[in-house]
Amino acid sequence: MARHGAARVARRRAGLGGLLAEVATELTSALAVSLGLPESHFDDAFAGCPHWFGKLIRYVGTDTDGPHAQGVGPHADWGFLTLLLQDSTGGLQARPPRSPDWVDVPPLDGALVVNVGEMLEVATHGYLVSTVHRVLPCAPGATRQSIGFFWSPRLDATLHPVPLTAELAAHAPGVTETEHNPLLPRFGDNALKGWFRSHPEVAARHHADLRG
């Protein structure tokens, strides 16, 4: 993919984050092709300054954890794609689209977990559904560590539904949203909504005027 050449070199110079951005860029192009679109379809949304960040996550199980303890409750990521590297502890579960059941996502050596984010669900009009996932609590005395890389377009980018073939459109029922979690096509708006959802106490204290 020669068109990515200069950007690829720049990302490699940026270290691990740049390498993961390169992987995410390739996945984004591959997703476009799988949807019957040119591989460059999403390029404009990510041009210039795509929004990405990494997070090191450590869960600790304690003897005081009760029966209702949890690692992380059910949620979907508000970006485009998430790449996740797990350790060997396990505990990650995902809920298949439009299913009430949870399935284990066991760690695999040398593999990354790829989650669909809300922006990709918006872009495909619900053909690809954002991955609802959770992390079960660790056993007392145990720990779990993971590395998450969150890949999203520019904050000012708007992702409108892509033109799907009739075959794919038949399986695109629209986005899955609720009164408390609308899916917004401009990424900056959706990210702010997601941040409010994840940190309600901080939002209420410092940004009460922005909460709808």
Side-chain angles (χ1 to χ4, degrees):
M1 297 184 179
R3 65 188 182 82
H4 292 313
R8 179 179 292 130
V9 170
R11 286 191 291 269
R12 282 179 176 168
R13 288 175 179 168
L16 179 60
L19 179 59
L20 287 169
E22 181 181 344
V23 172
T25 297
E26 298 292 347
L27 281 173
T28 300
S29 297
L31 280 167
V33 173
S34 73
L35 294 168
L37 305 168
E39 69 175 45
S40 61
H41 180 85
F42 295 110
D43 282 6
D44 286 346
F46 288 88
C49 189
H51 185 84
W52 58 264
F53 66 96
K55 185 162 63 173
L56 304 177
I57 311 164
R58 184 170 186 258
Y59 308 85
V60 179
T62 69
D63 292 328
T64 59
D65 286 343
H68 302 296
Q70 64 180 24
V72 173
H75 68 285
D77 298 330
W78 61 76
F80 193 84
L81 288 172
T82 300
L83 310 181
L84 183 71
L85 178 64
Q86 305 187 76
D87 67 8
S88 60
T89 304
L92 176 64
Q93 293 186 324
R95 192 167 64 203
R98 305 173 188 92
S99 169
D101 301 320
W102 292 95
V103 296
D104 292 327
V105 184
L108 297 176
D109 289 341
L112 294 172
V113 176
V114 180
N115 283 344
V116 171
E118 291 178 344
M119 297 310 296
L120 187 50
E121 180 171 348
V122 168
T124 61
H125 202 59
Y127 176 72
L128 296 175
V129 181
S130 53
T131 308
V132 177
H133 55 288
R134 68 183 183 184
V135 178
L136 300 179
C138 293
T143 62
R144 178 182 186 272
Q145 299 185 82
S146 62
I147 303 173
F149 179 81
F150 302 86
W151 174 246
S152 301
R154 294 186 322 278
L155 287 170
D156 66 342
T158 297
L159 293 183
H160 299 289
V162 302
L164 296 174
T165 65
E167 181 181 2
L168 298 185
H171 300 281
V175 299
T176 305
E177 59 182 354
T178 66
E179 178 185 356
H180 302 292
N181 186 39
L183 302 193
L184 308 173
R186 188 168 70 169
F187 173 61
D189 295 336
N190 205 60
L192 183 63
K193 174 217 67 180
W195 185 84
F196 281 168
R197 186 181 66 201
S198 298
H199 306 281
E201 294 86 359
V202 176
R205 176 177 295 181
H206 298 286
H207 302 285
D209 59 319
L210 297 179
R211 302 188 71 197

